[in-house]
Amino acid sequence: MFGRITMPMATFGKSLHMPPAFSKVLERHNKDAWKVFRCYVHTVCDYAARSNTVKQNVLPLSKVAIQPNHHSPSLSENATRKSNVLKTLQASANQSTTLSPFVMTSGHSDKDLPMFDADILQAIRQGVHIEQTKIPTLIPPSELTDTRGKPVYLNAYVYDFFKHGSKTVIRKENGLDSGDVFDKLKDFKLVIAAISVALEELGPKSDNVVRAFRQLGNEYSKKFKLQYPSYRD
């Protein structure tokens, strides 16, 4: 999630990129993050619909407003038939507070919101501004590609260092020079420490997640200091 470095498969062996289990964990994380984000979108759009501050009859591209057809009522049989058809259509119409009325013309309703994850802002009602780039999701390592579309792999230098604790092995096998090894490992150490402190402020120290990050931070810090004894926090 942080300190990510990609590498071409042609340069390094398979043992140096993240194990498949990591991709599965990240996929579950992405799925959970999207689920929470969609609930947030539904809530914000529902509030906007109830406040009714922005009209939903403006075409998104041309900005032309679609006005209702206000004909005077007629008692003719033809007008009555048309009125009945209109009532039937209105009764069977999808009721939505999240999706735009123009999206709903394709037969979609609020439950179809996951179909628009790629560009959710173009699908929801007008007047709602949400930063989709703030969703804490990441591309799984198994789906990473370079600018030409060729597969690249996530360098497992942090994972490898945690296993063997050797800066020399990281430099030789993971393709990092001495300066990069120090900088990358130090940055990861500081990030883990910051997360651990934040979690202890938010939750009880007996919480499993809090304890896990505390243990991870302590063990990683010990390995780092053994390799860089002159380093001071």
Side-chain angles (χ1 to χ4, degrees):
M1 187 170 289
F2 21 76
R4 288 157 64 99
I5 300 176
T6 58
M7 58 185 186
M9 186 60 205
T11 307
F12 302 101
K14 286 187 176 181
S15 62
L16 299 180
H17 61 75
M18 296 301 294
F22 180 77
S23 287
K24 293 180 180 179
V25 171
L26 191 54
E27 287 169 2
R28 287 200 301 270
H29 161 78
N30 287 346
K31 184 177 180 180
D32 291 342
W34 266 108
K35 185 177 180 180
V36 172
F37 180 73
R38 292 189 201 105
C39 288
Y40 165 70
V41 171
H42 283 305
T43 301
V44 172
C45 289
D46 184 63
Y47 175 80
R50 285 186 280 109
S51 62
N52 197 28
T53 55
V54 178
K55 298 299 181 183
Q56 301 298 304
N57 64 332
V58 179
L59 293 171
L61 296 179
S62 65
K63 305 303 180 184
V64 174
I66 306 300
Q67 302 298 336
N69 189 8
H70 296 295
H71 288 301
S72 59
S74 172
L75 297 179
S76 67
E77 182 180 349
N78 188 44
T80 302
R81 189 181 299 112
K82 288 182 178 180
S83 177
N84 291 336
V85 171
L86 182 59
K87 289 179 180 179
T88 302
L89 290 174
Q90 290 174 336
S92 62
N94 288 329
Q95 301 300 316
S96 173
T97 59
T98 302
L99 294 180
S100 160
F102 302 103
V103 173
M104 289 192 297
T105 58
S106 300
H108 297 297
S109 62
D110 284 356
K111 63 181 177 60
D112 299 317
L113 185 62
M115 297 175 57
F116 303 97
D117 284 350
D119 197 357
I120 203 169
L121 299 182
Q122 298 299 319
I124 61 177
R125 64 186 295 111
Q126 298 177 57
V128 175
H129 303 286
I130 294 175
E131 299 223 19
Q132 187 170 347
T133 56
K134 303 300 183 183
I135 308 174
T137 57
L138 289 170
I139 301 174
S142 58
E143 300 176 14
L144 289 172
T145 59
D146 60 16
T147 55
R148 297 171 294 177
K150 293 186 177 181
V152 293
Y153 298 90
L154 198 60
N155 195 319
Y157 70 95
V158 171
Y159 177 73
D160 293 338
F161 181 75
F162 190 78
K163 288 192 299 181
H164 54 62
S166 172
K167 64 180 181 182
T168 303
V169 175
I170 294 296
R171 180 175 58 82
K172 290 181 178 180
E173 296 189 0
N174 291 77
L176 301 178
D177 59 38
S178 298
D180 283 340
V181 171
F182 172 77
D183 289 338
K184 296 297 183 182
L185 295 179
K186 181 197 69 174
D187 289 346
F188 187 81
K189 171 183 174 298
L190 296 177
V191 168
I192 293 299
I195 293 175
S196 180
V197 171
L199 289 174
E200 290 187 2
E201 291 291 331
L202 294 173
K205 293 185 178 181
S206 58
D207 182 85
N208 288 336
V209 176
V210 175
R211 294 172 59 190
F213 268 91
R214 187 191 309 127
Q215 181 179 352
L216 173 63
N218 290 338
E219 291 187 22
Y220 191 89
S221 182
K222 289 178 182 178
K223 293 176 183 290
F224 182 84
K225 288 180 179 179
L226 284 174
Q227 294 298 299
Y228 299 99
S230 61
Y231 174 77
R232 296 290 182 269
D233 291 329

